[in-house]
Amino acid sequence: YMLKVYNYMTSGLAISGLVAWTASQSPALMNAIYGSALQWVVMLAPLGFIFFLGARMQKMSNSAAQMTFGAFAAAMGLSMSYIFILYTGASITRVFFITCSVFAAMSIYGYTTKRDLTKFGSFLMMGLIGIIIASVVNIFMKSTMMEFVISCIGVLVFVGLTAYDTQKIKSMYYSTSAEMATKTAIMGALTLYLDFINLFLMLLRLFGQRR
């Protein structure tokens, strides 16, 4: 079950990375997206997929759920294509492997620890909400100091969420029926995917080398 979760997550990351890199190689496409209001559609599309999966997952077939998750990963990749313009390829690669190491360590901890991490859930969610609000405010303030603080706090929050979510996904297995196992695995993969991507973006802001 957990292997299925990690396989879905890894395939989602591969789709996102491929779409992001391919889109960044087309100046015409990048100008069309980020030179117009279309950028808001591209940025908000992944959020729409998340709400759709959360609301419709129970009624979807396994194949439809898999295809929707793949479409979400592609939309997420398109929304992240700007990083290949903003940062050097070497620093993106370096931060990606740093993220992989940190994520793997915390996910293994969350899977193997006997400590109940649920008591940290509300604290981490409060931190996540604070990051979202501060990020929206900083869109208008454009403060580099606030961006640095948000990134530092974000790394701590998503490191914690990786362990917390892994333990939660593991515990969900025992209350999941056989016919729902695939859908539950996809939702688990979506959760860990978001933890990984956000951790990666926070670390990239801190350690990425801008062009």
Side-chain angles (χ1 to χ4, degrees), residues 60-69 182-183 186:
M60 299 170 69
S61 65
N62 289 341
S63 59
Q66 291 168 351
M67 290 177 62
T68 305
F69 178 72
T182 297
K183 296 178 184 178
I186 291 174

Side-chain angles (χ1 to χ4, degrees), residues 45-130:
L47 188 60
F49 275 106
I50 293 172
F51 285 131
F52 179 79
L53 279 169
R56 302 290 300 175
M57 178 63 77
Q58 303 296 329
K59 300 180 180 179
M60 299 170 69
S61 65
N62 289 341
S63 59
Q66 291 168 351
M67 290 177 62
T68 305
F69 178 72
F72 157 77
M76 195 71 177
L78 189 60
S79 71
M80 292 174 55
S81 56
Y82 71 92
I83 67 172
F84 288 97
I85 306 300
L86 196 59
Y87 299 95
T88 64
S91 67
I92 291 174
T93 302
R94 181 175 64 250
V95 171
F96 176 78
F97 283 109
I98 292 173
T99 306
C100 287
S101 301
V102 174
F103 180 90
M106 294 310 299
S107 192
I108 291 172
Y109 171 76
Y111 183 81
T112 58
T113 184
K114 303 299 182 183
R115 186 177 184 180
D116 185 8
L117 302 179
T118 54
K119 59 185 177 181
F120 298 104
S122 57
F123 175 77
L124 292 169
M125 289 307 298
M126 288 173 58
L128 178 58
I129 293 172

Side-chain angles (χ1 to χ4, degrees), residues 4-16 46 49-50 52-54 57 60-77 182-194 197:
K4 184 180 290 187
V5 171
Y6 288 122
N7 283 341
Y8 281 131
M9 174 197 154
T10 303
S11 64
L13 290 173
I15 292 171
S16 295
F49 275 106
I50 293 172
F52 179 79
L53 279 169
M57 178 63 77
M60 299 170 69
S61 65
N62 289 341
S63 59
Q66 291 168 351
M67 290 177 62
T68 305
F69 178 72
F72 157 77
M76 195 71 177
T182 297
K183 296 178 184 178
T184 305
I186 291 174
M187 289 305 295
L190 175 63
T191 301
L192 292 181
Y193 172 99
L194 291 172
I197 287 294

